[in-house]
């Protein structure tokens, strides 16, 4: 798995799980909108907007990002292969 953050940081599965388990990355609220899903064979492409609040390492924050995910079906289970997020900047 390749997990790309909106900051440009990229983590593998072990680093991503460690960041969540340790509290380095902590979402307090998450609201997903504008989700689209396109399935082709055993691959799915998912896009959505994520609005939320975070508490990363004890520092509160507000998150508004566009997310792109690639999922692959293995047997009966869907596995996340890749994720990339970009910040959505306020309209000027």
């Amino acid at each position: 798995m390749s997990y790309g953050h909106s900051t440009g940081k990229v983590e593998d599965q072990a680093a991503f799980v460690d960041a969540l388990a340790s509290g380095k990355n902590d979402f307090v609220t998450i609201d997903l909108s504008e989700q689209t899903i396109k399935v082709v064979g055993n691959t799915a492409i998912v896009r959505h907007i994520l609005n939320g609040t975070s508490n990363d390492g004890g520092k509160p924050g507000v998150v508004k990002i566009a997310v792109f995910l690639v999922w692959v079906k293995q047997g009966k289970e869907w596995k996340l292969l890749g994720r990339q997020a970009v910040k959505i900047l306020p309209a000027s």
Side-chain angles (χ1 to χ4, degrees):
M1 179 187 70
S2 177
Y3 193 95
H5 293 269
S6 62
T7 61
K9 180 179 182 178
V10 177
E11 297 175 316
D12 63 12
Q13 184 173 352
F16 170 71
V17 170
D18 179 61
L20 283 178
S22 69
K24 290 178 196 171
N25 293 349
D26 183 21
F27 280 100
V28 178
T29 64
I30 294 176
D31 178 49
L32 302 181
S33 63
E34 300 179 42
Q35 187 173 64
T36 62
I37 302 170
K38 175 73 174 176
V39 178
V40 179
N42 69 334
T43 305
I45 294 174
V46 180
R47 296 175 189 267
H48 60 252
I49 304 298
L50 184 155
N51 284 287
T53 56
S54 62
N55 190 21
D56 295 349
K59 182 180 176 187
V62 175
V63 180
K64 184 167 187 176
I65 56 177
V67 181
F68 174 81
L69 305 121
V70 178
W71 294 83
V72 176
K73 192 169 188 180
Q74 295 178 342
K76 294 183 179 185
E77 295 183 358
W78 285 97
K79 305 277 185 164
L80 180 61
L81 182 62
R83 182 243 196 212
Q84 184 60 57
V86 294
K87 292 179 184 176
I88 298 174
L89 302 175
S92 53

